[in-house]
């Protein structure tokens, strides 16, 4: 408090000494008196002094007053006085009639006392608890005091209330108070409470504020209601502005639907009071808060849809076309309709279909445009119409096409009985009113925004000038007027139109350059050293020239990119050109226009920039600067890069197409595969069926064969022979071996025999020569004879053996012969059998063919039967019948074979 | 757009347990793996059908951070239902349930239906709180219990709808004063005839309890 004294030091000497003393005395009494009556009287006295001696009472009594609030809660009267006194100290409201100087001081006083009061957070909590008191003398001043605190130091007090338990909720209960004064002041309190505090706004909304406030507005008679309606609307705006969560809640709670009846103000209305105008104005603003272009796109579009669905937009359009509506309301209604339709195709389409109730009916758009190019209409109204038109065309290619088409030769109404939008715009473009020129130029620019088709279409527009002269193209006429040097606003408007038209449209650039007067005019404008007021035009000319370079497709020999750049370098100088280009975004009105889509100008001379155009400048300034600084080589390189890129692109697109085709093929093939698989499965089942049938038949055949084999066994046939056949080779080889052995045996014996013969011969030779002794010789002879007889015996034995062996051999030979003959026989038989088998195989094949035929037949028969609608059971019977037949045939075949053998 | 009843819900629980994701899954049927920290509260709404009646759910998703507790407390009083959410992969979020519950009981109307939700049931491998523990806690404190996954949408729909069913049952029993909007319940625009259903349900209910007592 010391600093307060310091600040107020000069003045504190002013008030009479006695007053300060009195206040001191009263404070002492409040503090020390034990009697409630005494204290109450003292507080009442302080209250009466508090307005006049605000500073003194504030400094000396505040502590005591707060103490009273804490301790004397049982007595509502003293609490009421204390609250009133505090209110007088803190509030600045009562002093408005005082002179300016002291008002400023008192504002300081109020905020300083507030700061002292809320330094103790409990004081605010105390106030909140006093609000629970139902007594009027307590509740009402509490509301007022709290409101005043919030007005003085909003953020701090909001924070304290936010953290005190149920603080906000308790304040919300004020809206339910049956005493209107408290309810209405409660609305004001909530206004101050919710100001720019999202968290509190959400809690208040959660506590059903929308429902309550809408109820109050309805009870009070909507727009016909008094200032309470106004206060409620301001509070609603506080809750919704820039608060997405609350906007969503408002929409989800179907409260938009409840706004519709507000705008049911018919022609029969009894007049427009100032309060009604204010109320309606706020109502329209509330609609705009919900569909503001600055909201998230999804949120805005869902509100726009809801407004169309519940008929709110239709209601607004009715006001738009009604008579007797004050210009202020009409303007705001136009702005509101603008934002309700902006970028929302359904709403834009609806708006295009609205007709004014004139005779003959004219489209609302035409009626509005008439006001835009009418000098006698209020400036704000004309701005609103321009905004409406812009919003109608925003992201609306259909609407853009419709507007441009009213200018094209083929669609112009020859009779001229009704005015079209295009005619009005052209009229505005070339009227003598520069504001109309600007508005019409910008409006037309919006019909071309991001729409290459319409940029090209507009090139076709021809204007009839004076009689006898050939028609002039719209583009030509624009540049002509530009060259004539009219007002800055007109030229700026035309340059905005031309820049928008030429950007991203090489054909328009070519058309523009085709007029040989244009480039010299632009270079002249840029190069000249003109006054400050011409700087903007110079900048825009530089932008237009830059666009003619950047979007130049080099189709004009005289104005190739390169040539234009050389021209700039020679006539203007690169640096100079860039500096002039920079004038646009450095203009003081530029940033203002870039903030919001709505054209919002304090007066006509500020009408220079358009929001969408500032976006275009932002986009192009950099690229044009780059393009100008780039050398021709770099340019060429870039060109090459572009070309290669294009080639790459082509290749890529080629491959993309290929991939697409292949994808298609793949799809087809997949399909085929699946069908084939299906067929395959079917066929496989058929094959297995048939295989099983074949197996059956084979079995049957084998069976038959076996049977037949049994029949033929008595005739001494094949199975035995086959057995002999099988054993024979083994035995033969064994026999052959034996024979071989015997042969070698025989040879060995014969050689032995020959040896013995020669020995005998030798011996007989040696006998006639008895050499040395006859006795020895006789003995020797006897010995030899003995040996000889032995040998002879041996030889005989051997010869016997040979005989036996050769007998054996002949027997074996015989055996061999006989077995060879059996082999021949068996071979014969085998051949026969093989023949038989081939025969039967053939027969079987025939049977299979027959079977297939029959299958086919069965199928066709089935089909026929199905066609005829016969039951399917018969099919089975038929099939089994077929089987029987086949069996019969087989048996027949078997018999035939049997016979043939 | 018309509805028989409107219920206000709040979603509470520690930060990062997936409250906003549950709401997003319920209202938009999508999952956002990276969700900004909720500041204060966010609003969402959806219509559901219970017993053939259209019921509009208005849901306030609160910030879990401690610094927002004072703000979020303001939402207890006016809510008919609360989803108390913890994260089954973080035990501490389960441990804090008691303090959340105390807060809720202290600031809300006594009839507020509380649904305990163990979220992130898709992260079974990282589970830190057993389902049985959640069930036990719910039983002990008289809550409804469910495990959900905002990511796979498992049980999300059910959690919101079962809470609504419970509130609806309480209305049928006459436990809620449907005419006092401070309870977080509102009767639909052209539902004024149906208001008699509340009191109408009352006697039936009392009769039921009467027969019960007779039985005993």
């Amino acid at each position: 408090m010391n600093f307060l004294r310091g600040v107020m030091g000069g003045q504190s000497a002013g008030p009479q000494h006695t007053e300060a003393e009195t206040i001191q005395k009263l404070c002492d009494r409040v503090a020390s008196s034990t009697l409630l009556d005494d204290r109450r009287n003292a507080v009442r006295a302080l209250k009466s002094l508090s307005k006049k001696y605000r500073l003194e009472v504030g400094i000396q009594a505040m502590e005591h007053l707060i103490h009273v609030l804490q301790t004397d809660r049982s007595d509502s009267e003293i609490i009421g006085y204390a609250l009133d006194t505090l209110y007088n100290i803190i509030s600045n409201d009562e002093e408005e009639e005082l002179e300016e100087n002291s008002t400023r001081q008192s504002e300081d006083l109020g905020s300083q006392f507030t700061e002292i009061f809320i330094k103790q957070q409990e004081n605010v909590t105390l106030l909140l608890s006093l609000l629970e008191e139902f007594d009027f003398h307590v509740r009402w001043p509490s509301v007022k005091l709290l409101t005043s605190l919030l007005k003085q130091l909003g953020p701090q007090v909001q924070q304290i209330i936010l953290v005190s338990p149920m603080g906000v909720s308790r304040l919300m209960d004020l809206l339910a108070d049956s005493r209107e004064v408290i309810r209405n002041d409660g609305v004001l309190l909530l206004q101050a409470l919710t100001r720019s505090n999202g968290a509190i706004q959400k809690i208040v909304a959660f506590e059903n504020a929308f429902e309550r406030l809408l109820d109050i507005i309805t009870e009070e008679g909507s727009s016909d209601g008094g200032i309470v309606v106004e206060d409620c609307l301001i509070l609603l705006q506080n809750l919704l502005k820039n608060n997405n969560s609350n906007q969503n809640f408002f929409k989800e709670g179907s409260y938009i639907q409840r706004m519709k009846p507000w705008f049911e103000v018919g022609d029969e209305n009894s007049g427009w009071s100032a309060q009604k105008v204010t109320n309606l104005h706020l109502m329209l603003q509330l609609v705009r808060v919900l569909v503001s272009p600055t909201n998230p796109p999804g949120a805005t579009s869902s509100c726009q849809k809801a407004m169309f669905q519940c008929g709110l937009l239709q209601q607004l359009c009715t006001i738009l076309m009604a008579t007797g509506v004050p210009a202020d309301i009409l303007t705001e209604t136009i702005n509101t309709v603008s934002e309700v339709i902006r970028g929302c195709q359904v709403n834009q389409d609806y708006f295009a279909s609205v007709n004014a109730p004139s005779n003959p009916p004219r489209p609302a758009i035409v009626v509005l445009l008439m006001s835009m190019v009418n000098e006698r209409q209020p400036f704000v109204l004309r701005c609103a119409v321009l905004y409406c038109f812009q919003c109608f065309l925003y992201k609306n290619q259909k609407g853009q096409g419709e507007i441009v088409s009213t200018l094209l030769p083929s669609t112009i109404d020859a009779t001229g009985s009704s005015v079209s939008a295009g005619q009005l715009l052209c009229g505005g473009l070339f009227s003598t009113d520069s504001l109309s020129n600007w508005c019409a130029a910008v409006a037309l620019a919006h019909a071309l925004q991001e729409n290459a088709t319409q940029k090209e279409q507009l090139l076709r527009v021809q204007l009839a000038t004076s009689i006898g002269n050939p028609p002039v193209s719209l583009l030509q006429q624009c540049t002509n007027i530009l060259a004539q040097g009219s007002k800055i606003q007109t030229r700026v408007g035309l340059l905005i139109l031309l820049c928008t038209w030429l950007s991203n449209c090489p054909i328009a650039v070519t058309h523009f350059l085709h007029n040989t007067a244009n480039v010299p005019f632009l270079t002249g404008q840029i190069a000249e050293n003109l006054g400050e007021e011409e700087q903007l035009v110079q900048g825009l000319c530089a932008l237009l020239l830059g666009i003619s370079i950047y979007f130049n497709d080099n189709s004009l020999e005289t104005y190739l990119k390169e040539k234009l750049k050389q021209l700039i370098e020679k006539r203007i100088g690169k640096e100079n050109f860039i500096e002039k280009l920079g004038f646009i975004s450095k203009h003081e009105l530029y940033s203002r226009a870039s903030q919001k889509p709505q054209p919002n100008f304090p007066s006509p001379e500020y009408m220079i920039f358009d929001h969408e155009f500032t976006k275009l400048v932002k986009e192009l300034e950099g690229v044009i600067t780059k393009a100008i600084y780039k050398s021709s080589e770099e340019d060429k390189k870039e060109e090459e890069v572009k070309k290669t890129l294009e080639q790459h692109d082509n290749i890529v697109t080629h491959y993309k197409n290929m991939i697409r085709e292949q994808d298609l093929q793949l799809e087809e093939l997949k399909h085929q595969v699946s069908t084939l698989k299906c067929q395959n499965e079917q066929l496989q089942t058929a094959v297995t069926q048939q295989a099983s049938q074949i197996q059956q038949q084979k079995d049957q055949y084998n069976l038959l064969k076996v049977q037949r084999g049994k029949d033929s066994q008595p005739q001494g046939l094949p199975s035995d022979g086959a057995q002999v056949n099988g054993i024979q080779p083994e035995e033969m080889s064994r026999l052959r071996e034996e024979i071989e052995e015997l042969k070698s045996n025989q040879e060995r014996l014969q050689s032995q025999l020959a040896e013995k013969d020669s020995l005998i011969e030798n011996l007989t030779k040696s006998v006639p020569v008895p050499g040395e002794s006859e006795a020895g010789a006789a003995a020797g002879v006897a010995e030899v004879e003995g040996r000889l007889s032995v040998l002879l015996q041996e030889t005989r034995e051997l010869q016997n053996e040979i005989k036996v062996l050769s007998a054996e051999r002949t027997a074996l030979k015989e055996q061999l012969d006989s077995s060879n003959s059996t082999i021949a026989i068996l071979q014969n038989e085998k051949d026969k059998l093989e023949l038989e088998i081939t025969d039967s195989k053939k027969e079987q094949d025939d049977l299979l063919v027959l079977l297939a035929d029959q299958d086919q037949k069965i199928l066709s028969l089935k089909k026929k039967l199905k066609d005829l609608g016969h039951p399917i059971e018969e099919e089975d019977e038929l099939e089994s019948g077929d089987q029987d037949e086949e069996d019969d045939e087989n048996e027949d075949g078997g018999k035939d074979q049997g016979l043939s053998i | 757009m018309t509805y028989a009843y409107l219920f206000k819900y709040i979603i509470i629980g520690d930060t990062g347990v997936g409250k906003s994701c549950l709401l997003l899954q319920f209202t938009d049927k999508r999952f956002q793996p990276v969700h900004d920290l909720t500041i204060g509260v966010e609003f969402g709404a959806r219509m559901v059908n219970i017993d053939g009646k259209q019921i509009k759910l208005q849901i306030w998703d609160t910030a879990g951070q401690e610094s927002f507790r004072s703000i979020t407390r303001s939402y207890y009083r006016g809510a008919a239902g609360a989803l108390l959410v913890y994260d089954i992969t973080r035990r501490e979020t389960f441990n804090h349930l008691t303090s959340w519950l105390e807060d809720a009981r202290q600031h809300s109307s006594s009839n507020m239906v509380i649904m305990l939700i163990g979220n992130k049931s898709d992260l079974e491998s990282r589970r830190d709180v057993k389902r049985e523990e959640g069930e036990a806690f719910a039983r002990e404190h008289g809550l409804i219990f469910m495990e959900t996954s905002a990511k796979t949408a498992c049980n999300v729909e059910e959690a919101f709808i079962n809470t609504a069913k419970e509130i609806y049952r309480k209305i049928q029993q006459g436990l809620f004063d449907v005419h006092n909007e401070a309870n977080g319940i509102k009767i639909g625009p052209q539902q004024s005839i149906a208001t008699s259903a509340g009191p109408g349900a009352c006697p039936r209910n009392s009769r039921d309890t009467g027969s019960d007592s007779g039985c005993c």
Side-chain angles (χ1 to χ4, degrees):
Chain A
M1 264 191 275
N2 281 335
F3 80 96
L4 252 184
R5 285 211 183 89
V7 172
M8 304 299 164
Q11 252 202 351
S12 62
Q16 287 83 349
H17 203 54
T18 48
E19 298 300 343
E21 278 175 3
T22 315
I23 293 166
Q24 189 54 54
K25 267 183 202 159
L26 288 170
C27 288
D28 289 344
R29 264 171 73 192
V30 172
S32 57
S33 177
T34 49
L35 283 175
L36 179 62
D37 277 345
D38 229 15
R39 292 201 300 274
R40 191 193 297 136
N41 287 334
V43 175
R44 189 196 291 146
L46 279 172
K47 180 192 161 188
S48 61
L49 287 169
S50 60
K51 275 192 189 169
K52 203 171 176 192
Y53 303 102
R54 190 174 164 195
L55 176 69
E56 291 74 18
V57 175
I59 289 172
Q60 295 178 48
M62 192 185 280
E63 256 179 273
H64 304 294
L65 292 169
I66 292 169
H67 189 71
V68 166
L69 295 182
Q70 286 164 340
T71 52
D72 283 327
R73 281 193 69 164
S74 53
D75 185 64
S76 59
E77 219 177 318
I78 191 172
I79 298 282
Y81 292 140
L83 289 169
D84 281 337
T85 315
L86 282 169
Y87 173 74
N88 288 340
I89 296 165
I90 284 165
S91 168
N92 297 321
D93 296 352
E94 315 288 328
E95 311 207 10
E96 275 159 13
E97 63 268 23
L98 291 179
E99 60 238 59
E100 256 180 59
N101 177 28
S102 71
T103 311
R104 219 173 51 85
Q105 272 183 348
S106 71
E107 265 169 27
D108 291 341
L109 261 189
S111 66
Q112 279 156 355
F113 281 128
T114 306
E115 209 175 314
I116 295 163
F117 185 82
I118 66 170
K119 208 163 226 168
Q120 297 293 315
Q121 292 204 357
E122 303 84 72
N123 292 343
V124 179
T125 327
L126 183 68
L127 263 183
L128 288 173
S129 70
L130 286 172
L131 277 172
E132 307 259 281
E133 212 77 52
F134 185 72
D135 194 314
F136 186 81
H137 293 98
V138 179
R139 193 178 271 193
W140 194 39
S142 307
V143 172
K144 288 205 293 184
L145 178 56
L146 200 55
T147 310
S148 163
L149 289 173
L150 280 162
K151 277 184 182 166
Q152 297 287 359
L153 286 173
Q156 289 95 318
V157 182
Q158 283 173 337
Q159 215 46 48
I160 297 169
I161 295 175
L162 197 53
V163 296
S164 53
M166 307 310 289
V168 179
S169 313
R170 269 187 252 179
L171 298 181
M172 270 305 294
D173 292 341
L174 295 172
L175 291 185
D177 201 304
S178 55
R179 292 159 295 191
E180 278 200 10
V181 187
I182 291 182
R183 186 197 69 182
N184 297 349
D185 278 347
V187 174
L188 292 176
L189 169 60
L190 289 169
Q191 267 183 26
L193 181 70
T194 53
R195 197 156 288 144
S196 47
N197 186 319
I200 294 183
Q201 288 162 4
K202 286 181 195 170
I203 298 174
V204 170
F206 175 79
E207 296 281 350
N208 298 318
F210 294 140
E211 190 85 39
R212 288 276 145 69
L213 293 169
L214 291 171
D215 284 345
I216 295 174
I217 290 171
T218 312
E219 278 167 32
E220 298 285 326
S222 297
S223 59
D224 289 320
I227 195 160
V228 184
V229 172
E230 182 183 336
D231 290 338
C232 288
L233 288 168
I234 291 170
L235 178 52
L236 279 173
Q237 236 182 67
N238 273 359
L239 295 177
L240 291 171
K241 204 163 198 169
N242 301 323
N243 190 326
N244 297 328
S245 178
N246 274 2
Q247 286 174 8
N248 189 15
F249 177 33
F250 192 86
K251 190 201 70 186
E252 287 293 337
S254 311
Y255 296 124
I256 288 176
Q257 285 81 334
R258 293 190 59 181
M259 294 168 91
K260 189 203 161 199
W262 293 352
F263 303 104
E264 285 165 0
V265 279
D267 288 336
E268 82 287 344
N269 228 281
S270 49
W272 297 80
S273 67
Q275 185 63 55
K276 181 167 181 158
V277 170
T278 310
N279 288 349
L280 214 52
H281 208 89
L282 286 166
M283 287 167 171
L284 289 166
Q285 278 175 356
L286 200 62
V287 175
R288 290 183 68 183
V289 163
L290 294 169
V291 290
S292 161
T294 52
N295 288 348
T300 292
S301 72
S302 63
C303 285
Q304 286 172 327
K305 270 178 214 150
M307 285 173 186
F308 176 73
Q309 275 160 7
C310 76
L312 180 65
L313 174 61
Q314 293 83 328
Q315 201 62 53
L316 290 174
C317 287
T318 315
I319 297 181
L320 213 60
M321 294 295 118
T323 50
V325 180
D328 180 22
I329 294 297
L330 185 61
T331 306
E332 191 59 15
T333 308
I334 296 171
N335 282 330
T336 310
V337 168
S338 309
E339 287 178 354
V340 175
I341 63 172
R342 187 174 191 270
C344 175
Q345 191 71 55
V346 181
N347 294 9
Q348 285 166 335
D349 288 348
Y350 168 75
F351 181 69
S353 75
V354 174
N355 277 320
S358 59
N359 197 16
R362 280 192 181 126
I365 293 172
V366 170
V367 175
L368 287 172
L369 284 178
M370 284 164 99
S371 313
M372 187 179 81
V373 295
N374 184 344
E375 280 177 74
R376 280 166 302 175
Q377 292 290 349
F379 173 64
V380 281
L381 180 72
R382 297 173 73 182
C383 287
V385 172
L386 177 61
Y387 185 41
C388 189
F389 194 67
Q390 291 174 350
C391 290
F392 168 64
L393 296 176
Y394 182 73
K395 292 192 176 168
N396 181 3
Q397 301 224 329
K398 193 174 146 201
Q400 287 175 323
E402 277 163 14
I403 295 295
V404 171
S405 74
T406 60
L407 281 164
L408 297 178
S410 54
T411 48
I412 285 177
D413 190 356
T415 58
S417 62
S418 64
V419 195
S420 73
Q423 281 169 295
L424 284 167
L425 288 176
C426 275
L429 208 53
F430 308 121
S431 89
T432 51
D433 171 31
S434 65
L435 197 62
S436 294
N437 300 154
W438 191 91
C439 287
V442 169
L444 209 48
H446 277 259
L448 307 176
Q449 211 71 252
E450 287 172 26
N451 193 331
T453 322
Q454 300 315 325
K455 283 177 188 174
E456 288 174 25
Q457 285 289 312
L458 203 63
L459 291 170
R460 291 170 51 206
V461 175
Q462 299 285 325
L463 301 168
T465 49
S466 47
I467 300 162
N469 287 345
V472 170
S473 77
L474 179 62
L475 188 73
Q476 178 73 54
Q477 185 64 12
C478 288
T479 54
N480 287 350
I481 292 175
L482 201 59
Q484 280 165 18
S486 38
K487 281 187 194 163
I488 286 186
Q489 199 169 35
T490 307
R491 281 183 286 153
V492 168
L494 288 171
L495 282 165
I496 288 175
L497 172 60
L498 288 172
C499 287
T500 312
W501 197 345
L502 265 53
S503 63
N504 282 310
C505 186
I507 301 174
V509 171
T510 311
H511 273 249
F512 178 75
L513 295 175
H514 201 74
N515 182 347
T516 46
N518 284 338
V519 173
F521 167 72
L522 289 181
T523 49
Q525 285 279 310
I526 302 163
E528 242 175 295
N529 229 339
L530 295 166
E532 215 169 292
E533 67 275 8
E534 285 292 328
Q535 281 189 345
L536 178 60
V537 174
Q538 286 189 313
L540 290 169
C541 286
L543 180 67
L544 188 55
L545 191 55
I547 289 171
S548 322
I549 293 168
Y550 188 72
F551 294 104
N552 192 333
D553 60 357
N554 287 333
S555 56
L556 277 182
E557 198 57 46
T558 41
Y559 288 117
L560 298 174
K561 264 187 188 187
E562 207 39 53
K563 285 191 178 170
L564 284 168
K565 271 159 79 172
Q566 283 165 3
L567 197 70
I568 287 177
E569 197 156 12
K570 262 195 281 176
R571 295 272 177 83
I572 308 164
K574 278 184 186 177
E575 301 293 336
N576 192 20
F577 179 84
I578 302 300
E579 192 197 334
K580 296 271 157 82
L581 185 64
F583 282 156
I584 306 173
S585 52
K586 287 194 190 79
H587 197 276
E588 50 186 341
L589 296 173
Y590 176 87
S591 63
R592 195 192 160 105
S594 69
Q595 282 161 7
K596 264 207 276 180
Q598 188 186 354
N600 191 10
F601 310 102
S603 68
E605 55 279 15
Y606 287 94
M607 206 169 199
I608 292 295
F609 282 111
D610 166 59
H611 177 74
E612 290 296 324
F613 180 67
T614 60
K615 282 200 221 163
L616 185 73
V617 173
K618 245 178 245 168
E619 191 187 311
L620 293 180
E621 203 180 344
V623 292
I624 288 176
T625 309
K626 242 190 227 166
I628 297 297
Y629 275 129
K630 229 179 279 164
S631 67
S632 55
E633 280 170 37
E634 279 175 315
D635 231 16
K636 267 178 200 161
K637 263 186 205 164
E638 196 170 89
E639 208 66 3
E640 275 169 34
V641 169
K642 248 187 201 169
K643 261 182 201 164
T644 50
L645 272 180
E646 244 166 60
Q647 278 176 348
H648 280 294
D649 265 359
N650 281 341
I651 292 169
V652 168
T653 45
H654 173 74
Y655 276 117
K656 269 185 188 165
N657 282 335
M658 217 150 97
I659 288 169
R660 208 165 294 138
E661 272 170 38
Q662 286 178 341
D663 251 3
L664 276 175
Q665 283 178 348
L666 200 70
E667 203 57 37
E668 241 171 74
L669 289 173
K670 268 185 190 166
H671 189 72
Q672 277 183 357
V673 164
S674 63
T675 51
L676 286 174
K677 259 188 192 167
C678 214
Q679 281 180 348
N680 186 24
E681 258 167 54
Q682 284 174 346
L683 287 173
Q684 242 161 12
T685 51
V687 164
T688 45
Q689 271 178 3
Q690 286 181 341
S692 70
Q693 278 179 355
I694 288 167
Q695 193 55 46
Q696 276 178 2
Q697 287 176 349
K698 261 189 190 164
D699 289 349
Q700 279 174 352
Y701 169 72
N702 280 343
L703 204 72
L704 286 170
K705 213 166 68 174
V706 171
Q707 274 179 346
R708 203 193 50 198
K710 273 179 191 165
D711 289 346
S712 51
Q713 226 171 14
Q715 296 170 355
L717 254 169
S719 57
D720 252 1
Q723 265 179 345
V724 172
N725 244 354
I727 292 163
Q728 212 179 20
E730 265 178 70
E731 209 162 4
M732 278 230 299
S733 60
R734 194 167 51 81
L735 286 171
R736 269 192 198 121
E737 264 172 17
E738 250 175 287
I739 289 162
E740 212 67 33
E741 220 176 312
L742 287 171
K743 266 183 186 167
S744 64
N745 246 6
Q746 199 187 357
E747 264 170 324
R748 193 166 42 82
L749 287 172
Q750 258 170 353
S751 67
Q752 267 178 352
L753 197 64
E755 245 177 89
K756 301 267 154 92
D757 272 346
S758 65
L759 197 73
I760 290 166
E761 221 171 298
N762 275 353
L763 284 172
T764 44
K765 262 179 198 168
S766 64
V767 169
V769 196
E772 289 99 29
S773 66
E774 261 186 70
V781 167
E783 200 188 342
V784 165
E785 269 174 344
R787 271 165 69 178
L788 194 65
S789 64
V790 170
L791 282 169
L792 277 172
Q793 214 160 355
E794 229 174 306
T795 310
R796 233 170 273 144
E797 265 172 60
L798 282 169
Q799 266 169 346
N800 272 343
E801 211 172 331
I802 285 165
K803 257 178 210 165
V804 171
L805 281 170
S806 53
E808 217 171 317
R809 210 186 86 184
T810 46
L812 276 170
K813 245 187 192 164
E814 257 172 351
Q815 222 175 330
L816 194 71
D817 283 349
S818 76
S819 58
N820 270 345
S821 71
T822 44
I823 285 166
I825 292 164
L826 283 169
Q827 195 71 39
N828 231 347
E829 190 136 5
K830 195 182 136 198
D831 288 344
K832 262 188 207 163
L833 279 168
E834 261 168 4
L835 250 172
E836 257 178 82
I837 286 165
T838 46
D839 274 359
S840 60
K841 259 189 192 163
K842 235 182 232 168
E843 208 158 348
Q844 197 185 348
D845 284 345
D846 289 349
L847 281 169
L848 280 176
V849 171
L850 205 71
L851 194 73
D853 282 354
Q854 227 124 11
D855 269 359
Q856 208 109 41
K857 256 187 222 168
I858 290 161
L859 271 180
S860 66
L861 281 170
K862 268 185 203 170
K863 227 180 234 175
K864 263 183 204 170
L865 279 170
K866 249 183 215 169
D867 290 347
L868 290 165
H870 259 259
I872 310 158
E873 286 165 41
E874 283 181 45
E875 291 174 0
D876 292 346
E877 283 176 19
L878 257 172
E879 259 179 7
S880 62
D882 281 354
Q883 203 98 30
D884 287 344
E885 274 175 31
E886 278 166 20
D887 288 350
D888 288 345
E889 277 173 13
N890 277 345
E891 272 167 23
D892 286 349
K895 272 175 199 162
D896 285 348
Q897 281 169 354
L899 281 172
S900 72
I901 292 169
Chain B
M1 287 300 279
T2 57
Y3 52 86
Y5 288 103
L6 185 154
F7 297 161
K8 284 185 182 177
Y9 281 11
I10 50 169
I11 311 181
I12 51 174
D14 274 10
T15 184
V17 297
K19 298 182 291 299
S20 302
C21 290
L22 280 169
L23 179 59
L24 192 70
Q25 181 60 258
F26 182 63
T27 57
D28 289 26
K29 297 198 189 329
R30 63 194 169 95
F31 176 72
Q32 224 175 344
V34 185
H35 202 284
D36 294 340
L37 211 60
T38 307
I39 305 294
V41 290
E42 287 303 324
F43 172 79
R46 215 191 101 179
M47 200 80 95
V48 295
N49 193 308
I50 286 163
D51 288 355
K53 282 191 188 295
Q54 288 292 95
I55 289 180
K56 183 149 199 158
L57 300 184
Q58 291 185 335
I59 305 141
W60 276 265
D61 163 37
T62 68
Q65 282 188 310
E66 188 59 40
S67 54
F68 291 108
R69 278 296 258 280
S70 60
I71 293 178
T72 55
R73 277 194 194 107
S74 305
Y75 289 85
Y76 289 115
R77 190 180 70 160
L83 305 189
L84 173 54
V85 189
Y86 68 92
D87 177 352
I88 64 155
T89 69
R90 280 158 57 212
R91 177 157 289 278
E92 73 270 18
T93 65
F94 181 75
N95 294 340
H96 293 158
L97 287 178
T98 329
S99 105
W100 280 109
L101 201 59
E102 268 172 23
D103 229 27
R105 297 263 200 238
Q106 192 190 336
H107 295 99
S108 68
S109 84
S110 56
N111 281 316
M112 182 163 82
V113 172
I114 302 176
M115 160 77 81
L116 180 66
I117 288 178
N119 192 32
K120 309 196 187 177
S121 64
D122 52 295
L123 301 175
E124 192 54 51
S125 57
R126 282 160 52 193
R127 181 187 278 276
D128 199 15
V129 182
K130 284 195 204 108
R131 166 189 278 277
E132 292 73 26
E133 295 177 83
E135 280 167 352
F137 186 93
R139 213 178 307 119
E140 192 184 327
H141 295 91
L143 317 175
I144 326 171
F145 175 72
M146 268 191 148
E147 281 196 352
T148 63
S149 164
K151 189 175 180 179
T152 65
C154 171
N155 270 343
V156 172
E157 195 98 336
E158 289 79 356
F160 283 90
I161 287 176
N162 288 355
T163 312
K165 278 184 184 161
E166 180 63 17
I167 297 169
Y168 187 65
R169 197 180 60 79
K170 282 194 172 184
I171 292 174
Q172 301 287 302
Q173 290 180 347
L175 292 171
F176 272 118
D177 175 9
V178 288
H179 296 285
N180 183 1
E181 274 187 41
N183 285 329
I185 294 169
K186 193 180 147 190
I187 299 165
Q190 65 276 74
Q191 211 62 29
S192 44
I193 321 114
T195 48
S196 56
C202 256
R204 193 187 61 199
N205 182 50
S206 59
R207 210 189 309 135
D208 284 350
T209 48
S211 64
D212 277 353
S213 59
C215 207
C216 296

